[in-house]
């Protein structure tokens, strides 16, 4: 008996020594995981999109990626948490073409109803196993008068969060080692508030950072893999459906438009965003600007700020547009048609601000797309579009500003502290409102990450929170 075997038998009488079965090791199928969880998106009063991704592991590999795995998956869903009367979508392949993502659309749903769902996945249909139970609630729609609570967040910078100053973090470095393992504290704080849904309004990932610049499709995909594998995010999106819009960093790079052949190219950025998030049915060519009647009292609009824009450096004037003519006319038409008490336009970038004087890529910027914004504000007044409020992402501080026309804008700020900064005040000569025409009811007194919660019912409430869940400001309308 060799020494190793004698030691093992001595240490554990229950241990039985067996030579490895090489044939069995080769034939055993690889374990499959849902390393980025399962989520729902673009929920209406009758439909919803469900999504998951098959992976080879539940943790990042040595290269910091979460490789996908070939297999099949479908979704089971029911109005009962024990999945009585379960229904099932057809199995679909998880294939490299779509980054091993499987997405399905449910239809014929009842409004204002909670649905339970789970992925069923495996190497084959015969070996499929059930994943974790998840849930979403359909929108009430225009026929049901019920209060609605939702949250808007933006600008979660992975490298600043994990690597601090090495990742060029400008805000306070508050992430603990536990946070870096579990993910952004904002998601834990938001989950405690039990929102009906979440709106991610741009910069969901950052392709450009001094630590790592993503240009190719595999590099871009890795940014999504590393971001959405955090346990706090997986847990949040298990029960909170989401709506998504992109900005510059999750399109191409900082302040990017559709010019230049710098990588990633515009089409690559557009296709990647559609691939990674449950906004549209797979391979849909629909535009990503849209509106949802959330309840009898509330309707929201989500605009597209990158796909149709004129060049940033084009002189401002009637011919320059951030939205493009078709989207702008759609926005006007749908706003005029709405009879909702509360109307909220959620834009990836600000329309009121103030912003930095040097910037040129949004509606608030003096050398940006100010003409289109001003013309839109005049149109709102002429057409008596009442009770419209603006929410924006992009700016890394929270604020409540009032345009000279009376239109109010709320900035949600950056989701993580490390990506936050102090804001630009009205009257600042280095800002976009040097004459102090904008009234500012609130701005972050110190750099902090966080989010914006909106409650719409008889009243319309806006509440700014920091990343740990402390309420900083409240406005009631």
């Amino acid at each position: 008996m060799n020494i190793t075997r004698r030691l093992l038998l001595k240490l554990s009488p229950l241990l039985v020594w067996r030579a490895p079965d090489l044939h069995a090791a080769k034939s055993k199928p690889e374990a499959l995981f849902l390393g980025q969880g399962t989520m729902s998106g673009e929920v209406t009063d009758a439909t919803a999109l469900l999504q998951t991704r098959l992976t080879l592991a539940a943790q990042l590999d040595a290269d910091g990626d979460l490789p996908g795995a070939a297999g099949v998956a479908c979704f089971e869903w029911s109005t009962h948490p024990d999945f009585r009367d379960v229904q099932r979508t057809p199995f679909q392949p998880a294939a490299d073409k779509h980054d091993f993502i499987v997405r399905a659309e449910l239809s014929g749903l009842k409004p204002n109803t909670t649905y339970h769902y789970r992925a069923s996945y495996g190497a084959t249909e015969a070996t499929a196993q059930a994943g974790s139970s998840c849930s979403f609630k359909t929108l009430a729609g225009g026929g049901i008068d019920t209060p609605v609570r939702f949250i808007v967040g933006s600008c979660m910078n992975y490298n600043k969060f994990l690597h601090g100053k090495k990742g060029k973090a400008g805000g306070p470095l508050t992430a603990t080692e536990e946070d870096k393992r579990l993910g952004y504290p904002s998601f834990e704080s938001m989950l405690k508030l039990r929102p009906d849904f979440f709106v991610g309004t741009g910069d969901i990932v950052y392709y450009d950072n001094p630590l790592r610049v993503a240009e190719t499709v595999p590099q871009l995909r890795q940014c999504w893999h590393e971001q959405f594998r955090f346990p706090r995010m997986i847990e949040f999106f298990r029960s909170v459906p989401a709506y998504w819009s992109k900005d510059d960093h999750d399109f191409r790079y900082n302040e990017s438009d559709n010019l230049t052949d710098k990588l990633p190219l515009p089409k690559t950025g557009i296709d990647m965003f559609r691939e990674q998030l449950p906004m549209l049915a797979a391979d849909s060519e629909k535009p990503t600007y849209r509106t949802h009647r959330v309840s009898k009292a509330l309707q929201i609009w989500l605009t597209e700020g990158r796909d149709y824009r004129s060049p940033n450096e084009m002189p401002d004037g009637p011919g320059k547009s951030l939205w493009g003519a078709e989207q702008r006319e759609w926005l006007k038409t749908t706003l005029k048609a709405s009879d909702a008490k509360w109307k909220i336009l959620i834009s990836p970038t600000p329309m009121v601000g103030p912003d930095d004087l040097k910037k040129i890529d949004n509606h608030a910027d003096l050398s940006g797309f100010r003409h289109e914004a001003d013309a839109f504000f005049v149109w709102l007044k002429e057409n008596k579009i009442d009770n419209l409020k603006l929410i924006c992402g992009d700016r890394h501080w929270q604020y409540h500003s009032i345009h000279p026309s009376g239109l109010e804008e709320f900035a949600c700020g950056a989701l993580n502290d490390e990506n936050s900064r102090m804001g630009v005040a009205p009257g600042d000569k280095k800002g976009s409102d040097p004459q102090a025409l904008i009234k500012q009811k609130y701005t972050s007194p110190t750099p902090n990450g966080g989010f914006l919660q909106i409650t719409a019912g008889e009243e319309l409430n806006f509440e700014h929170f920091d990343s740990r869940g402390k309420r900083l400001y409240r406005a009631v309308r």
Side-chain angles (χ1 to χ4, degrees):
M1 183 181 297
N2 63 44
I3 295 174
T4 303
R5 184 177 179 188
R6 285 201 303 270
L7 286 172
L8 288 169
L9 289 173
K10 183 177 180 180
L11 288 170
S12 175
L14 298 178
L15 183 63
V16 178
W17 181 265
R18 291 187 178 91
D21 185 342
L22 297 179
H23 178 75
K26 290 181 179 179
S27 62
K28 184 179 179 180
E30 289 183 311
L32 297 181
F33 299 86
L34 304 179
Q36 295 169 228
T38 304
M39 64 175 71
S40 61
E42 217 62 27
V43 173
T44 71
D45 60 352
T47 63
L49 293 173
L50 306 181
Q51 177 173 304
T52 196
R53 179 174 181 263
L54 273 61
T55 61
L56 290 175
Q59 303 292 332
L60 298 182
D61 64 14
D63 296 321
D65 201 359
L66 192 61
V72 297
C74 70
F75 298 96
E76 298 175 336
W77 54 282
S78 172
T79 54
H80 304 286
D82 62 0
F83 288 87
R84 281 177 290 146
D85 303 320
V86 68
Q87 299 186 62
R88 176 181 286 178
T89 67
F91 274 97
Q92 300 179 51
D96 179 66
K97 178 183 178 183
H98 295 295
D99 197 25
F100 306 98
I101 292 169
V102 174
R103 184 181 305 158
E105 183 174 18
L106 306 185
S107 59
L109 307 179
K110 298 177 182 178
N112 202 36
T113 301
T114 297
Y115 286 88
H116 303 271
Y117 70 97
R118 61 192 177 195
S120 180
Y121 66 102
T124 65
E125 294 183 25
T127 61
Q129 58 182 311
S132 299
S133 179
C134 310
S135 64
F136 66 84
K137 186 179 181 181
T138 50
L139 300 183
I144 298 177
D145 190 8
T146 184
V148 176
R149 183 170 61 249
F150 69 99
I151 289 174
V152 180
S154 177
C155 304
M156 40 185 165
N157 193 304
Y158 181 87
N159 280 304
K160 291 183 180 182
F161 176 65
L162 280 190
H163 305 296
K165 294 300 182 184
K166 290 183 179 179
K168 298 297 181 181
L173 307 182
T174 61
T176 65
E177 289 306 310
E178 181 180 45
D179 291 333
K180 293 177 183 180
R181 179 175 60 85
L182 297 177
Y184 305 100
S186 282
F187 282 94
E188 183 174 62
S189 301
M190 292 188 294
L191 186 59
K192 291 177 181 178
L193 296 172
R194 300 178 63 83
D196 293 306
F197 59 87
F198 173 81
V199 178
T201 183
D203 295 339
I204 311 305
V205 298
Y206 280 68
Y207 295 147
D208 53 334
N209 184 278
L211 278 179
R212 188 267 325 278
V213 176
E215 297 179 330
T216 66
V217 168
Q219 291 169 345
L220 301 178
R221 284 173 169 172
Q222 180 174 340
C223 294
W224 295 95
H225 304 163
E226 65 190 14
Q227 189 83 292
F228 279 82
R229 54 84 191 183
F230 279 128
R232 282 174 176 159
M233 292 181 69
I234 291 173
E235 186 64 20
F236 182 81
F237 291 117
R238 276 183 61 187
S239 59
V240 181
Y243 306 81
W244 304 97
S245 298
K246 69 175 175 294
D247 196 16
D248 49 353
H249 297 283
D250 46 8
F251 171 48
R252 301 181 67 192
Y253 46 82
N254 187 45
E255 298 195 9
S256 49
D257 54 22
N258 293 284
L259 294 183
T260 81
D261 56 0
K262 179 179 177 180
L263 299 178
L265 296 175
K267 187 178 187 307
T268 305
I270 291 169
D271 291 346
M272 184 60 54
F273 202 84
R274 288 168 172 257
E275 173 190 83
Q276 291 294 320
L277 294 169
M279 302 169 58
L280 299 163
D283 299 321
S284 172
E285 296 298 325
K286 289 183 179 179
T288 47
Y289 56 84
R290 67 267 197 213
T291 182
H292 289 295
R293 188 62 180 260
V294 178
S295 66
K296 185 176 181 180
L298 176 65
Q299 186 167 346
I300 63 173
W301 283 258
L302 304 169
T303 54
E304 172 56 65
R306 295 290 155 182
D307 295 6
Y308 313 108
R309 67 167 50 214
S310 304
N312 291 340
E313 295 186 358
M314 177 179 173
D316 200 11
K320 187 177 183 180
S321 176
L322 188 148
W323 289 327
E326 186 175 316
Q327 179 178 194
R328 186 173 59 240
E329 292 309 307
W330 162 86
L331 180 58
K332 292 179 178 179
T333 299
T334 52
L335 281 168
K336 286 185 71 172
S338 176
D339 63 354
K341 178 179 181 180
W342 307 116
K343 305 172 184 67
I344 299 179
L345 192 163
I346 305 173
S347 168
T349 52
M351 298 193 72
V352 176
D355 196 7
D356 294 310
L357 178 62
K358 63 183 180 180
K359 284 181 62 65
I360 61 171
D361 86 324
N362 65 58
H363 281 121
D365 295 334
L366 288 174
S367 298
F369 297 80
R370 179 69 70 88
H371 185 279
E372 182 173 54
D374 288 344
F376 179 66
F377 297 157
V378 170
W379 179 88
L380 290 173
K381 192 170 184 177
E382 290 176 346
N383 287 272
K384 297 180 172 58
I385 306 298
D386 299 321
N387 289 331
L388 174 68
K389 309 298 178 186
L390 306 178
I391 295 175
C392 73
D394 186 51
R395 300 299 73 213
H396 294 193
W397 64 95
Q398 298 172 323
Y399 67 73
H400 173 197
S401 293
I402 304 176
H403 188 266
S405 68
L407 194 62
E408 297 178 82
E409 179 173 79
F410 297 82
C412 63
L415 270 164
N416 62 300
D417 291 344
E418 297 77 11
N419 203 28
S420 66
R421 53 162 280 193
M422 291 298 293
V424 180
D428 190 329
K429 300 306 179 184
K430 294 183 179 180
S432 62
D433 181 34
Q435 295 178 298
L437 301 177
I438 294 170
K439 294 180 181 179
Q440 198 155 63
K441 306 290 286 186
Y442 174 77
T443 187
S444 302
T446 59
N448 67 268
F451 51 89
L452 178 69
Q453 178 176 263
I454 303 92
T455 305
E458 286 298 316
E459 297 179 330
L460 185 63
N461 296 340
F462 295 86
E463 298 170 287
H464 283 114
F465 289 82
D466 70 13
S467 64
R468 302 290 174 175
K470 179 183 178 181
R471 190 173 72 185
L472 304 175
Y473 174 74
R474 182 172 184 242
V476 181
R477 294 295 177 263

